[in-house]
Amino acid sequence: MEALSWSGDLGAFLNPVLMVAGLGFVAAFIANFMLTLVGLRPGEMVVNADHSLSLQRTPVDYTLMAMKYAVALFALGVLGYVIGGMILASPEQGGILGGMAARLTPVWLSLAALFAVSITFKRRLGLYGKLFDSPIGMIGFGLVMFWIFVAVFSGIIATHGPIDVISQMRNEVPGSPLPAPAEGQYAYYLLGGDNLGRDVFSRVIYGGFEVLKIAPLATLFAFMVGVTLGLPAGYYGGRLDTGITFVANLVLAFPVILLFYLLVTPEIVAAGIPNYLSMVLFVFPILFFSVLFNSRFRTDPPKRNLLVGGTVVIGGLAYLSLISNPSDPDLPMIFRLWPEVLDLFDIPGNLLIVFVSVVFVNSPTVFRIVRGIVLDIKTRDYVAAGQTRGEGPWYIMLWEILPNARGPLIVDFCLRIGYTTILLGTLGFFGLGVSPESPDWGSTINEGRRLLTIYPHPALPPALALMSLVLGLNLLADGLREESLKD
Amino acid sequence: MAFFILRRIGVMALTALCLTFVVFFLTNLAPNLEKLAKTQGNARMSDAEVVSWLDRNGYGGPLVVRYGEWLGVVPGWLREDPITGEWRGRCLARGQDPAEAARFCGLLQGDLGYSTVSATEVSSIIGGRLQLTGILMFWAFAVMVPSALLVGVLAGMREGSRTDRTLSTFSIASTATPEYVSGVIFIVLLASSQIGISPLLVEWGWLEGGTLFFGSARSAMDGVTFWNFTLPVMTIALYGMGYIARMTRASMAEVMMAQYIRTARLKGVKFSNIVMKHALRNALIAPFTVIMLQFPWLLNGVVIVETLFNYKGFGWTLVQAASNNDIELLLACSIVAVFVVLVTQLMSDIGYVFLNPRIRIS
């Protein structure tokens, strides 16, 4: 069988379109730049004598218009590849791009459905709906949802397993056919094979799942820790504040990579340091929710007892199952006390360590942000009013201050997921990731970089994937910030 | 003012003490020491032999005492080897008479210890490596700071304009590209013999074989040239640039909204004069803090870039020390890193107070 070309049959028609769009954009951009240098300005609205408006166009306007249409044409060309790939279905006709677009069909359909529904009802959806007023926010949201859907459908999209090795396919270029495809097996490596002969495309897809499994959850835990400590530090101030801030600054003064090396190396793991850390860090969510419910329903004991009791029982069970692993004889005694019967689930050792160290690195920054916001908000009148009404300090912190701090916190949450993704990638890049075989993007880049100048194709797709996800999160945060500032 | 600086220095010293203790504790855990004994002595040592090896080589005893020895406030250990009868100790060169050796030899005396893997003094390794990293950081800063300030000022002087939106999107994109991603992309585009620009240039006859830029900075350790140093420097500069640019933009936009700028505009001062003479100085106070705090970040970038481009500087040493369980070398690296972080924090605090007339005068 022949190797696939990049664009297949579609290329004959679509490549010139993309080329024209690209060249047109560059030409218009240069022209625009030159004209602005010469001193021309875009045309302005002019109010006529009869109160009508007229727009005077200058050459600058025409270059801008050309740039706009070039971008639109480019988008159409890309859309053509997506739709063409979905229609043609067979990779021989669609080429590599068409083949990938065809595999991603469930993602395109879900994205289209989500955007259609959201834009239709955007006026009724609050801040989320307003996101669709800002193009930047919409692009960011689209990128993020793309990767979320890829993670959800990863089992359907991927053409091969993440660790399926076909040794003849070692370092083969994108579009190479399998030597002897079995019945029902996808006959090509769409993005080529890596240095062990695994499919790069499938690994990038499964890598998205790996990353999105850890990053948002770790960020959420970091927020629980940061919020639970930051609220009292900012609200009470004094010794408590000085103490916690000092510890937070200690953690922040560590260069992140040194900290990772200190936390993740096998010797440290053997000493059980990450387990002790997880023991401390995972208490905070239970603490947070217990205090949250207790402060709200203190006056209604039956309801309070139900909610707080439920939190403590369910949370405690999850907590103890999470931190203890009686079947692992290497762990210190304290983590093996919990009976095997009640140990609901075990997190594989390495995953727990990576998770804990990412939470540990992130929480001091969250703490600082929360503390700063609380210091600002506690001077407001409604806090004073709450204090005069005799509300308890925790009620004021959790039910008066926290809801009013949600804007900056949501924005930071998006940014921080992106940062956590970068951190996970860093861990993988230094070979400290979940496992050496794991398809997460950092580890894949690390494997691909050794032969980078000769075989660029294994390292480039995960690098671009990571970049697009983080870019999407940053743009989403930017759009959210802009829209939340508008009212 | 003097009281403020003294207090800051006091807190900094306390932080440094805590941090070094944490690092010392984490690098001297029992599994680390056991591995050290087995790599230095014999891989098939029994537990008892490990204990006696550690004891003979000064790793026995309580952790706090060893930390004190390393710091140089507790006298270094000194023992007579029961087998050979030779005197050995922390401050003793091999065969030296114990009476002549110094009693204290730790960080405070400028003695960083002995690297077990490369079998040399740590200070001799660290010095040269730091110099190499210094060159890299200097160039990265020289590229990053001016371009970031330029982008930030251009974007912030007309908030909401098309220039602003384009440049802001660029800075967001640059903060979304960590070093290991931009490094890979740069290498593929500019330093690969297979795809990217280099094969094209060779085809057109503009380049005599090979690649345009070098994908490895190993040759830059002997002499920095444009071709072997551009990619590492660009890789570091790109990630930090976006953040500084966004801070500069925010600060510039805020200054441009101020009353005195409006007054100047209404008086008819030229826009370029307003930006250069009135706005710029005030707008650059906040970015100064950010630039200073960027140093620790740059340290991270340096570790990644040196690993990616095979440049044997400080970051590369840190990675090697950590993965080879080279305890004293790793400790020394941590000291340097922590020192850089704390000093830049101090400088940014003091600098902010000095630069900001509102705080300085009151």
Side-chain angles (χ1 to χ4, degrees):
Chain A
M1 272 197 296
E2 264 182 61
L4 295 179
S5 67
W6 275 98
S7 44
D9 296 346
L10 296 167
F13 174 64
L14 286 174
N15 280 351
V17 172
L18 291 183
M19 190 100 97
V20 166
L23 288 179
F25 184 82
V26 171
F29 183 80
I30 293 173
N32 180 27
F33 191 70
M34 290 296 172
L35 288 173
T36 336
L37 273 191
V38 174
L40 282 173
R41 296 244 153 266
E44 281 169 18
M45 289 286 190
V46 180
V47 185
N48 300 322
D50 60 348
H51 298 286
S52 63
L53 291 172
S54 55
L55 180 68
Q56 286 170 340
R57 291 220 165 103
T58 63
V60 179
D61 285 306
Y62 289 110
T63 54
L64 288 174
M65 217 192 291
M67 276 157 76
K68 202 161 76 185
Y69 287 125
V71 171
L73 191 64
F74 192 83
L76 271 183
V78 173
L79 198 66
Y81 267 117
V82 171
I83 294 178
M86 281 160 66
I87 293 171
L88 290 176
S90 86
E92 288 81 7
Q93 288 172 309
I96 298 173
L97 293 177
M100 284 198 292
R103 295 301 299 190
L104 289 168
T105 306
V107 175
W108 305 129
L109 294 180
S110 329
L111 269 183
L114 179 71
F115 268 75
V117 170
S118 307
I119 291 178
T120 318
F121 297 108
K122 71 177 173 183
R123 289 284 160 258
R124 284 191 243 160
L125 289 170
L127 182 62
Y128 168 73
K130 279 198 203 136
L131 198 61
F132 291 87
D133 289 336
S134 115
I136 293 273
M138 224 152 64
I139 295 175
F141 184 68
L143 279 172
V144 174
M145 287 318 289
F146 172 82
W147 284 111
I148 290 182
F149 285 131
V150 164
V152 170
F153 297 116
S154 52
I156 311 174
I157 298 168
T159 52
H160 300 82
I163 48 173
D164 291 354
V165 173
I166 299 176
S167 52
Q168 293 98 316
M169 298 299 288
R170 217 175 285 147
N171 291 324
E172 285 292 333
V173 293
S176 302
L178 296 191
E183 189 68 27
Q185 198 178 16
Y186 199 79
Y188 296 93
Y189 269 8
L190 281 172
L191 289 176
D194 65 5
N195 59 346
L196 293 176
R198 297 169 297 195
D199 182 29
V200 173
F201 175 70
S202 308
R203 281 178 71 78
V204 169
I205 299 293
Y206 281 113
F209 176 67
E210 288 289 321
V211 169
L212 285 170
K213 196 170 63 180
I214 305 176
L217 203 61
T219 316
L220 195 67
F221 271 90
F223 260 76
M224 294 274 183
V225 178
V227 168
T228 316
L229 291 175
L231 284 175
Y235 188 77
Y236 289 119
R239 288 246 175 83
L240 180 78
D241 183 26
T242 319
I244 306 181
T245 309
F246 182 74
V247 176
N249 285 344
L250 271 188
V251 181
L252 286 175
F254 265 112
V256 176
I257 291 179
L258 179 64
L259 199 59
F260 277 156
Y261 261 109
L262 289 179
L263 287 179
V264 183
T265 43
E267 290 81 39
I268 309 265
V269 174
I273 297 282
N275 292 74
Y276 288 109
L277 264 183
S278 69
M279 195 165 87
V280 175
L281 290 177
F282 291 148
V283 172
F284 283 97
I286 306 177
L287 216 61
F288 177 79
F289 281 111
S290 314
V291 178
L292 186 78
F293 291 133
N294 185 40
S295 61
R296 183 80 168 84
F297 300 108
R298 204 161 44 99
T299 47
D300 184 3
K303 201 167 181 185
R304 190 265 312 259
N305 293 345
L306 181 72
L307 282 169
V308 174
T311 310
V312 170
V313 169
I314 298 174
L317 202 62
Y319 171 75
L320 287 168
S321 316
L322 189 73
I323 63 160
S324 54
N325 187 0
S327 49
D328 187 350
D330 296 336
L331 284 177
M333 195 57 206
I334 187 168
F335 299 111
R336 286 185 280 129
L337 291 176
W338 189 243
E340 183 84 61
V341 194
L342 289 173
D343 194 18
L344 301 177
F345 50 87
D346 284 326
I347 309 279
N350 260 327
L351 186 65
L352 184 73
I353 293 155
V354 167
F355 193 83
V356 167
S357 32
V358 173
V359 172
F360 184 68
V361 169
N362 266 322
S363 22
T365 332
V366 180
F367 161 78
R368 290 234 298 216
I369 294 169
V370 173
R371 178 178 166 272
I373 298 175
V374 172
L375 281 179
D376 174 32
I377 292 186
K378 80 171 178 184
T379 57
R380 303 281 169 87
D381 286 344
Y382 55 78
V383 174
Q387 282 163 341
T388 350
R389 275 201 299 272
E391 288 167 2
W394 281 101
Y395 182 86
I396 294 178
M397 281 184 242
L398 288 165
W399 294 94
E400 306 269 16
I401 295 181
L402 194 58
N404 284 297
R406 69 183 183 277
L409 286 185
I410 291 174
V411 171
D412 186 68
F413 187 69
C414 286
L415 285 177
R416 201 147 292 283
I417 297 178
Y419 179 60
T420 311
T421 312
I422 292 181
L423 281 184
L424 287 174
T426 312
L427 275 175
F429 180 79
F430 284 107
L432 304 170
V434 178
S435 78
E437 297 225 304
S438 151
D440 74 280
W441 294 331
S443 316
T444 331
I445 296 174
N446 181 35
E447 272 171 41
R449 77 184 162 93
R450 306 227 163 87
L451 294 171
L452 195 57
T453 47
I454 312 162
Y455 300 116
H457 63 268
L460 205 51
L464 293 176
L466 193 141
M467 192 174 99
S468 64
L469 175 63
V470 179
L471 181 66
L473 285 161
N474 285 7
L475 291 178
L476 177 64
D478 210 54
L480 280 175
R481 174 170 23 216
E482 220 165 73
E483 291 303 318
S484 66
L485 283 180
K486 266 186 187 165
D487 42 32
Chain B
M1 190 66 206
F3 179 70
F4 167 76
I5 294 179
L6 274 181
R7 227 187 77 154
R8 286 289 313 159
I9 292 179
V11 172
M12 188 183 119
L14 188 62
T15 314
L17 204 65
C18 291
L19 280 180
T20 46
F21 183 73
V22 170
V23 178
F24 192 86
F25 170 71
L26 285 176
T27 45
N28 281 276
L29 288 169
N32 291 66
L33 293 180
E34 190 185 327
K35 190 178 167 194
L36 179 78
K38 285 184 176 165
T39 43
Q40 289 297 303
N42 177 354
R44 281 192 288 276
M45 274 186 191
S46 69
D47 286 354
E49 281 170 332
V50 167
V51 172
S52 84
W53 188 92
L54 289 177
D55 205 39
R56 265 186 291 133
N57 287 281
Y59 292 102
L63 185 80
V64 183
V65 175
R66 272 183 290 140
Y67 176 64
E69 286 178 10
W70 177 80
L71 208 58
V73 292
V74 173
W77 58 274
L78 202 61
R79 263 177 216 94
E80 190 177 5
D81 199 310
I83 308 163
T84 54
E86 192 184 7
W87 277 93
R88 306 191 51 196
R90 185 182 165 82
C91 310
L92 231 54
R94 195 163 271 272
Q96 199 184 5
D97 183 17
E100 289 169 11
R103 249 164 64 77
F104 297 93
C105 50
L107 184 65
L108 295 177
Q109 284 79 28
D111 187 344
L112 288 170
Y114 189 74
S115 157
T116 45
V117 172
S118 50
T120 37
E121 287 286 323
V122 167
S123 37
S124 66
I125 304 176
I126 286 279
R129 300 286 164 81
L130 271 179
Q131 201 183 351
L132 287 174
T133 297
I135 300 173
L136 184 62
M137 276 191 143
F138 169 76
W139 284 110
F141 253 72
V143 171
M144 178 171 81
V145 173
S147 46
L149 290 182
L150 187 70
V151 168
V153 168
L154 280 180
M157 71 187 186
R158 284 208 181 96
E159 203 186 357
S161 69
R162 196 170 280 115
T163 330
D164 177 23
R165 270 179 284 152
T166 317
L167 290 177
S168 296
T169 313
F170 166 75
S171 4
I172 293 180
S174 109
T175 49
T177 320
E179 292 91 352
Y180 51 90
V181 169
S182 53
V184 163
I185 295 175
F186 279 143
I187 290 181
V188 169
L189 280 183
L190 300 171
S192 162
S193 55
Q194 304 297 308
I195 59 170
I197 289 181
S198 308
L200 271 181
L201 290 179
V202 171
E203 198 178 307
W204 293 344
W206 292 4
L207 196 70
E208 302 255 319
T211 57
L212 184 59
F213 289 99
F214 294 171
S216 150
R218 198 172 294 179
S219 56
M221 288 185 286
D222 304 323
V224 172
T225 65
F226 181 70
W227 304 113
N228 61 21
F229 222 45
T230 305
L231 293 189
V233 168
M234 286 298 292
T235 307
I236 297 183
L238 190 71
Y239 186 44
M241 203 170 93
Y243 189 61
I244 301 182
R246 289 181 81 176
M247 289 296 148
T248 316
R249 177 192 168 273
S251 147
M252 186 74 189
E254 199 187 318
V255 169
M256 290 303 280
M257 300 276 273
Q259 299 281 348
Y260 75 97
I261 297 287
R262 195 167 62 181
T263 313
R265 289 209 78 168
L266 293 177
K267 271 164 63 185
V269 183
K270 256 174 71 185
F271 188 71
S272 54
N273 266 351
I274 291 181
V275 171
M276 298 302 291
K277 291 193 179 152
H278 298 260
L280 208 54
R281 276 187 52 177
N282 283 323
L284 290 184
I285 297 172
F288 171 79
T289 334
V290 179
I291 293 170
M292 275 294 142
L293 293 179
Q294 203 72 18
F295 259 103
W297 280 93
L298 217 59
L299 222 56
N300 276 333
V302 161
V303 179
I304 295 177
V305 165
E306 287 183 358
T307 314
L308 185 64
F309 288 94
N310 252 320
Y311 183 75
K312 294 183 181 160
F314 169 75
W316 189 85
T317 314
L318 196 155
V319 171
Q320 291 301 314
S323 35
N324 293 339
N325 196 30
D326 196 343
I327 295 177
E328 308 241 290
L329 186 58
L330 184 59
L331 272 170
C333 286
S334 325
I335 297 304
V336 174
V338 165
F339 181 76
V340 168
V341 172
L342 293 178
V343 166
T344 50
Q345 272 181 4
L346 186 71
M347 274 165 67
S348 99
D349 277 6
I350 296 174
Y352 186 75
V353 173
F354 262 111
L355 282 178
N356 199 337
R358 263 170 262 170
I359 305 181
R360 188 179 57 212
I361 290 167
S362 62

